[in-house]
Amino acid sequence: MNVEELQQIAGSAQEEREKFDYEVNVCMGTSCLSQHSDKIRDAIAKEASACGKSCHVRRTGCMGPCAAGPMVMIEPAETRYGHVREEDAKDIVAALGGEPVARLDPQLGSYFEGQNFVVLENVGHIDPEKIDEYIARGGYEALLKVLTEMSPGSVIEQISKSGLRGRGGGGYPTGLKWDTVAKVKGAQKYVICNGDEGDPGAFMDRSVLESDPQRVIEGMAIAAYAIGANKGYVYVRAEYPLAVQRLTVALREARRRGFLGNAICETTFNFDIDVRLGAGAFVCGEETALIASIEGKRGMPRPRPPYPAVSGLWGDPTLINNVETFANVAPIIRHGGEWFASMGTARSKGTKVFALTGKIQRTGLVEIPMGMTLRQIIFGIGGGVADGRKFKAVQTGGPSGGCMPEEHLDLSISYDALISAGSMMGSGGMIVMDDTSCMVSVARFFMEFCMTESCGKCVPCRAGTVQMFELLTKITKGEATHRDLDRLTELCEVVGATSLCGLGQTAPNPVLSTLRYFKHEYLAHIEEKRCPAGVCEFSATAADTRRGEVHV
Amino acid sequence: MSGEANVRTLTVDGEEISARADQTILEAAREHNVGIPTLCHLEGLSEVGACRLCLVEVKGARRLLPACVTRVEEGMEVTTHSPKIDRYRTMILELFFAERNHICSICVANGNCELQSLALTLGMTHVEIPYQYPQLPVDASHPRFTVDHNRCVLCTRCVRVCSEIEGANTWGVMGRGAQSLVITDLKEPWGDSETCTSCGKCVQVCPTGALFEKSSVGSKVRKHPEFLPYLRIMREEDQA
């Protein structure tokens, strides 16, 4: 593969597209597919050939506004249809080139206002299983440029310049991480892509892998070149069968086109990627547990240092980044580090993908530039709280994050601002809660999650989460005293300070943040035996305890 | 190992000490008679850093660090005891005691139990958090040994000694979180295990009354984990 060949592939893919007057893109991400969007695609294709319209019906990944699914988008007009059913195929095809079908208007309002697509730039426009469509939109230009024009050092320099930070939650500077692994001496190095997305309500990595897997592969290959690795692994949860399938096809396609394997792009660079499936343990998202899992061991974290950069997979230097981090790499190389750094805030550059869920009008996948306020996302893009209810809190960062109240709605999103507000960026889950959510129950829900997902290796996390969960249960049943609240606070401190890995260290965060902003709710439960949200019922039966759980 | 480059000078609780570069804080501190409590650590076995009792403060580090796995560094300032650390350790011990069933008066290891001694050393006189008392099985199928999961602290010393010293890999861990259990083979009764060599090393290294010899009666169950370092040295000499 060289520049001419790449351009030729892009050209012929473009020619292929121009043969048709219209393109009908049907969302076939997990959400829309669960509403049989595959049948909609077939119906539209059948209808189109019956009417003799020159139109190409394409399967794409998630288009974003999942609440309006199944989604269909017509190109070149960029007309979007929502809540499409099989019966609508006739009208959609008939409307090609004319007025759009009014009743299928997805009512997206300001959903796309202020969004900025870098990671999701191809989403909704390409077939995730066709590598040529990715190439036609600039795919693999970056890899080719890196291999033929850039030294590993200058690749790392661009990434450092971009200010990209880890998108998995911690926010560690990506350039620094790459530089560290590159500098460690070792004949064998590995690149691992962490796709073990497990936060409740989060689906960013799944969507990226389902919609644009080649982007992740290209990012990994560039990283491998930069640090001197020849082998990569993508660790995906087995609960994401569609992502696994599309990724597997994408890897095969990339090998066929010569972007993986030996002597890539006629250079001496060799690199290949294997897929490893998670077996349903949240803790395997922690990098040392993930490495243990790939090695075939029990997925349990080990103390760091040594960091994986020095001693990772099979004791060799290993680079681990999140799916979204790798998805940012190719655009950075294509447009340069400065371009990326021009977006965002002083210390958080670029964009962030969020999975907007909960009690909100328009749920879905959004990509916003860093620095946007929570209010803009929730009330602008998301259209505000559903059913005309009152906003109460927004939860980010999954079980490691926290809940922020209305006073923090004007907070600009960045790694540091979220941490100082008692939450964290996390991998990108954003759950909106209205006044029917009991914050003690929310804290209890996340504590239960941490308790059942604790690996059991270190005692503060294994036994501490059990104790905290029981104290929270006691509060939701109205059986707790002030002494219990003190004990809960003390346990939060000890578990946070002494646990071995991030799971235990951050497990108290949902409790701490709700205690910080909603202490009156805890006190109402304890002193008045009253749940302000009307969720908890105060008797000791098991049925009442269950009703106290939140459903997000 | 000679040469000045291999020596590190560090401060432990205000006292300047020197240590070999390959030593951990724990090793260096113990060599200088500074007591740091441990439970999962055992000389002769690999470290897992799981019990969190040996956490110490290192100046400049964002978090407390486990002394058993943290290597000494030049100029390191270590604090092994402070009101905060002592409070954390007591709380961790309470979590251990409340987790399963550690009623000393009816335990075979009473008087010879590392968990019990830790409570005495650290001054943990009572447990303020509720006892969990899960109903866990006791496996007495082995002709000589018994495993009582109610007394297990999941330190995995048995797992490590079986794998690293005996090479039998009989012991393992199943389940996760509070449901974790040490198991023999694929959770078969210990007596049916085809890999167990009945060497009894697991029993000797077990810090509590979870693993014990059947003949032992209360207060006679003294264990001898100190054989491990000698065994290791003998083997190394053999190989040399």
Side-chain angles (χ1 to χ4, degrees):
Chain A
M1 181 72 57
N2 53 37
V3 184
E4 288 77 36
E5 284 170 333
L6 193 71
Q7 279 166 352
Q8 205 185 340
I9 295 170
S12 56
Q14 195 56 37
E15 265 171 41
E16 196 62 33
R17 294 184 74 169
E18 281 160 8
K19 279 188 198 157
F20 299 100
D21 296 339
Y22 308 102
E23 289 175 284
V24 180
N25 296 337
V26 184
C27 175
M28 284 173 70
T30 293
S31 171
C32 290
L33 204 53
S34 68
Q35 298 177 66
H36 307 293
S37 60
D38 51 339
K39 289 195 179 131
I40 296 168
R41 179 194 59 173
D42 296 345
I44 295 175
K46 201 171 143 195
E47 188 61 35
S49 64
C51 310
K53 286 234 178 172
S54 158
C55 117
H56 176 61
V57 185
R58 175 188 291 123
R59 142 189 67 187
T60 73
C62 181
M63 294 182 183
C66 301
M71 289 288 299
V72 169
M73 185 175 72
I74 315 293
E75 286 186 291
E78 295 228 352
T79 313
R80 286 188 175 83
Y81 294 128
H83 303 293
V84 179
R85 288 166 303 155
E86 261 182 273
E87 304 87 272
D88 299 323
K90 202 174 182 128
D91 293 347
I92 290 174
V93 174
L96 287 175
E99 278 294 302
V101 189
R103 74 185 150 84
L104 293 176
D105 182 5
Q107 311 282 345
L108 292 178
S110 50
Y111 186 83
F112 289 100
E113 240 164 70
Q115 290 206 50
N116 189 351
F117 295 123
V118 176
V119 170
L120 305 180
E121 62 182 344
N122 291 339
V123 164
H125 298 287
I126 62 163
D127 184 329
E129 294 191 9
K130 294 200 172 135
I131 191 171
D132 292 358
E133 294 196 1
Y134 176 67
I135 295 172
R137 289 181 66 93
Y140 286 107
E141 264 175 34
L143 180 64
L144 201 63
K145 180 174 167 188
V146 160
L147 294 181
T148 52
E149 298 168 24
M150 293 169 83
S151 68
S154 55
V155 175
I156 294 172
E157 200 187 306
Q158 285 302 319
I159 299 293
S160 301
K161 217 182 263 177
S162 74
L164 177 66
R165 291 169 68 175
R167 295 292 192 246
Y172 191 80
T174 308
L176 194 58
K177 201 183 228 180
W178 288 25
D179 194 39
T180 312
V181 190
K183 280 184 179 145
V184 177
K185 287 198 175 71
Q188 177 69 57
K189 292 182 187 178
Y190 296 98
V191 173
I192 297 176
C193 173
N194 184 347
D196 193 56
E197 176 179 63
D199 292 359
F203 49 88
M204 302 74 53
D205 296 350
R206 190 197 73 203
S207 294
V208 171
L209 286 173
E210 281 176 5
S211 317
D212 200 1
Q214 294 295 350
R215 161 179 302 269
V216 180
I217 297 170
E218 187 180 1
M220 287 178 73
I222 293 169
Y225 173 75
I227 64 155
N230 60 15
K231 178 80 199 166
Y233 290 93
V234 184
Y235 190 89
V236 202
R237 351 174 29 186
E239 292 91 329
Y240 286 174
L242 187 64
V244 173
Q245 181 217 318
R246 293 208 173 139
L247 180 66
T248 314
V249 173
L251 287 171
R252 201 168 59 221
E253 290 280 286
R255 271 180 217 120
R256 182 175 65 86
R257 282 288 183 206
F259 295 115
L260 289 176
N262 290 338
I264 295 169
C265 301
E266 296 161 11
T267 64
T268 54
F269 176 59
N270 306 331
F271 181 63
D272 208 346
I273 299 175
D274 265 346
V275 179
R276 284 288 180 275
L277 300 191
F282 176 72
V283 75
C284 286
E286 199 279 342
E287 55 185 21
T288 56
L290 187 150
I291 288 174
S293 179
I294 292 182
E295 289 173 352
K297 297 178 188 150
R298 247 176 92 82
M300 294 205 291
R302 59 159 177 78
R304 298 175 301 178
Y307 288 92
V310 178
S311 173
L313 191 59
W314 290 299
D316 292 319
T318 303
L319 173 77
I320 299 196
N321 276 136
N322 169 265
V323 169
E324 195 186 328
T325 314
F326 281 124
N328 272 305
V329 169
I332 290 174
I333 298 296
R334 249 185 287 138
H335 308 297
E338 280 103 357
W339 163 81
F340 193 80
S342 69
M343 293 178 283
T345 67
R347 296 196 56 224
S348 302
K349 302 295 186 190
T351 62
K352 178 78 191 88
V353 181
F354 282 99
L356 196 54
T357 56
K359 307 279 180 59
I360 192 160
Q361 294 264 7
R362 295 188 284 264
T363 59
L365 193 71
V366 302
E367 182 171 5
I368 51 115
M370 297 273 192
M372 198 182 231
T373 65
L374 287 167
R375 191 186 297 281
Q376 283 171 299
I377 299 180
I378 295 163
F379 290 91
I381 295 173
V385 180
D387 306 325
R389 300 215 64 107
K390 198 176 165 327
F391 173 85
K392 187 181 219 171
V394 54
Q395 209 275 351
T396 65
S400 308
C403 302
M404 288 165 288
E406 205 169 354
E407 302 93 271
H408 281 73
L409 274 178
D410 290 312
L411 180 114
S412 314
I413 289 178
S414 70
Y415 289 96
D416 315 292
L418 285 170
I419 286 173
S420 63
S423 185
M424 65 183 280
M425 181 78 79
S427 57
M430 188 177 278
I431 304 166
V432 177
M433 295 168 205
D434 64 13
D435 53 2
T436 59
S437 295
C438 161
M439 300 317 283
V440 184
S441 304
V442 169
R444 182 177 169 276
F445 167 83
F446 283 109
M447 192 52 72
E448 185 178 20
F449 183 86
C450 291
M451 176 180 79
T452 48
E453 292 298 340
S454 165
C455 76
K457 181 169 180 174
C458 77
V459 71
C461 176
R462 180 180 77 221
T465 52
V466 174
Q467 297 287 353
M468 288 194 280
F469 172 73
E470 291 199 344
L471 285 168
L472 289 163
T473 308
K474 228 171 143 183
I475 298 173
T476 55
K477 283 183 180 174
E479 294 166 3
T481 60
H482 282 282
R483 206 179 152 71
D484 289 317
L485 196 58
D486 293 343
R487 194 165 292 152
L488 180 65
T489 321
E490 199 186 348
L491 275 164
C492 282
E493 186 195 341
V494 175
V495 172
T498 62
S499 289
L500 196 159
C501 82
L503 194 155
Q505 288 163 8
T506 57
N509 284 359
V511 181
L512 290 172
S513 71
T514 46
L515 268 174
R516 178 168 160 189
Y517 298 118
F518 301 95
K519 191 159 187 184
H520 53 277
E521 291 202 18
Y522 282 82
L523 294 177
H525 283 78
I526 292 167
E527 289 167 0
E528 303 163 36
K529 312 286 173 218
R530 180 177 68 84
C531 174
V535 175
C536 309
E537 285 184 26
F538 298 107
S539 60
T541 67
D544 289 335
T545 315
R546 270 199 298 282
R547 217 174 300 162
E549 286 177 5
V550 284
H551 297 282
V552 288
Chain B
M1 287 306 293
S2 63
E4 278 170 29
N6 289 321
V7 177
R8 300 284 182 270
T9 310
L10 63 154
T11 326
V12 176
D13 295 335
E15 295 277 317
E16 217 167 61
I17 65 166
S18 53
R20 286 199 321 274
D22 62 345
Q23 279 186 312
T24 62
I25 296 176
L26 181 70
E27 286 166 340
R30 287 203 170 161
E31 243 176 49
H32 291 81
N33 296 317
V34 179
I36 297 176
T38 54
L39 185 60
C40 64
H41 162 86
L42 187 65
E43 206 185 328
L45 295 182
S46 65
E47 304 289 1
V48 286
C51 74
R52 316 310 281 170
L53 287 166
C54 70
L55 287 177
V56 292
E57 277 173 22
V58 174
K59 201 174 172 188
R62 280 192 308 130
R63 307 192 58 87
L64 300 174
L65 296 174
C68 65
V69 291
T70 311
R71 302 243 171 253
V72 294
E73 274 167 37
E74 186 64 36
M76 210 178 214
E77 287 179 44
V78 182
T79 310
T80 66
H81 288 275
S82 73
K84 188 175 85 179
I85 299 180
D86 291 345
R87 189 162 57 84
Y88 287 175
R89 285 183 185 147
T90 316
M91 187 69 148
I92 290 171
L93 266 188
E94 282 189 48
L95 287 169
F96 269 122
F97 271 91
E99 191 183 14
R100 291 190 174 177
N101 184 329
H102 296 287
I103 305 298
C104 300
S105 58
I106 50 157
C107 175
V108 287
N110 188 12
N112 296 303
C113 168
E114 289 185 37
L115 188 66
Q116 191 180 32
S117 336
L118 279 168
L120 289 173
T121 335
L122 299 179
M124 192 216 80
T125 49
H126 52 284
V127 176
E128 286 192 26
I129 46 182
Y131 285 96
Q132 298 295 318
Y133 289 140
Q135 296 290 310
L136 297 175
V138 176
D139 179 0
S141 59
H142 192 279
R144 283 169 55 207
F145 312 121
T146 304
V147 53
D148 181 351
H149 293 288
N150 298 290
R151 308 271 195 239
C152 176
V153 290
L154 294 167
C155 66
T156 67
R157 281 187 189 178
C158 52
V159 180
R160 283 175 283 154
V161 80
C162 192
S163 159
E164 295 164 17
I165 307 294
E166 181 62 9
N169 286 300
T170 303
W171 287 103
V173 183
M174 68 167 276
R176 67 182 180 214
Q179 271 70 50
S180 302
L181 279 188
V182 289
I183 50 165
T184 41
D185 290 345
L186 296 171
K187 210 195 171 208
E188 282 137 296
W190 195 356
D192 295 348
S193 168
E194 288 183 7
T195 56
C196 176
T197 58
S198 298
C199 71
K201 290 190 180 71
C202 50
V203 175
Q204 295 304 326
V205 300
C206 174
T208 68
L211 296 177
F212 56 93
E213 275 193 68
K214 280 189 170 164
S215 56
S216 29
V217 188
S219 78
K220 278 194 180 170
V221 68
R222 209 174 139 58
K223 294 175 177 180
H224 299 280
E226 58 276 11
F227 75 94
L228 268 179
Y230 296 105
L231 193 64
R232 281 226 135 150
I233 292 166
M234 278 160 62
R235 286 193 183 170
E236 273 160 25
E237 278 174 2
D238 267 4
Q239 276 164 8

